Amino acid sequence: MTSKHEIGVGPGSSQPGQTTRAFLQEIQHACALRSTEVASDVATVVFCTVLRSVSREHSNNFVSVLPPTLRQLLRACTIERRDEPEVVGRAQALQTVADTLHFEPARAEFATRIVLVAAQNWLPRKEVDQLRRQIQDLGDDLWRPPTPT
């Protein structure tokens, strides 16, 4: 687990609000969204979908180390779900994001990539890497920045 003394990471963080704000601002700017509130909605949908690709125990473990402000957004995703993974594979994950956010499939993939890249930049590295290893069926490319069109 990440050390509680690392700035901006996990439950014991000394600056959790700043980390979450920076995480959401990166998503807002990269996706050209109108506010961090909309970025929060996008991040929540993407992460809830990704977390449904792993067991309930793994999703709870991941969410428990997030900054408190982000943990609050994702807590419902870990509680109101089955014990086993509910989303299987890249196609189902992207379709779930698209349907929930009312995005075209290409926009859903773009948003998913932005959220996952921002997670790697702002969230606890060890836990993000562990989550990435657990959901390899989503594809490594979703963890890389989208290519400009």
Side-chain angles (χ1 to χ4, degrees):
M1 242 208 242
T2 307
S3 166
K4 74 177 192 172
H5 301 292
E6 291 180 56
I7 294 177
V9 297
S13 169
S14 59
Q15 299 176 335
Q18 288 181 336
T19 299
T20 300
R21 190 170 25 261
F23 170 68
L24 295 175
Q25 286 173 342
E26 181 173 333
I27 294 166
Q28 176 190 2
H29 297 301
C31 289
L33 301 171
R34 68 177 181 264
S35 67
T36 55
E37 288 79 17
V38 175
S40 175
D41 292 344
V42 171
T44 300
V45 168
V46 169
F47 261 111
C48 284
T49 301
V50 168
L51 291 173
R52 288 176 53 212
S53 299
V54 298
S55 71
R56 182 174 168 176
E57 179 183 358
H58 286 113
S59 66
N60 279 328
N61 291 342
F62 178 78
V63 170
S64 72
V65 299
L66 296 177
T69 48
L70 190 55
R71 191 177 336 126
Q72 291 169 357
L73 293 174
L74 300 178
R75 182 56 67 194
C77 302
T78 62
I79 295 171
E80 300 172 9
R81 57 158 296 165
R82 297 184 185 118
D83 288 336
E84 298 304 314
E86 301 172 279
V87 174
V88 179
R90 175 193 178 90
Q92 185 180 10
L94 292 176
Q95 190 61 53
T96 301
V97 171
D99 291 347
T100 306
L101 293 172
H102 307 286
F103 281 178
E104 294 296 321
R107 179 94 169 133
E109 181 175 338
F110 181 85
T112 299
R113 285 175 175 240
I114 293 299
V115 170
L116 295 178
V117 167
Q120 292 173 94
N121 292 337
W122 293 102
L123 302 181
R125 170 80 58 201
K126 179 180 174 185
E127 284 76 12
V128 170
D129 288 345
Q130 183 177 7
L131 180 64
R132 182 178 178 172
R133 284 190 301 277
Q134 291 169 355
I135 53 171
Q136 292 180 0
D137 64 337
L138 291 184
D140 277 342
D141 66 312
L142 286 181
W143 295 86
R144 290 192 294 267
T147 54
T149 56

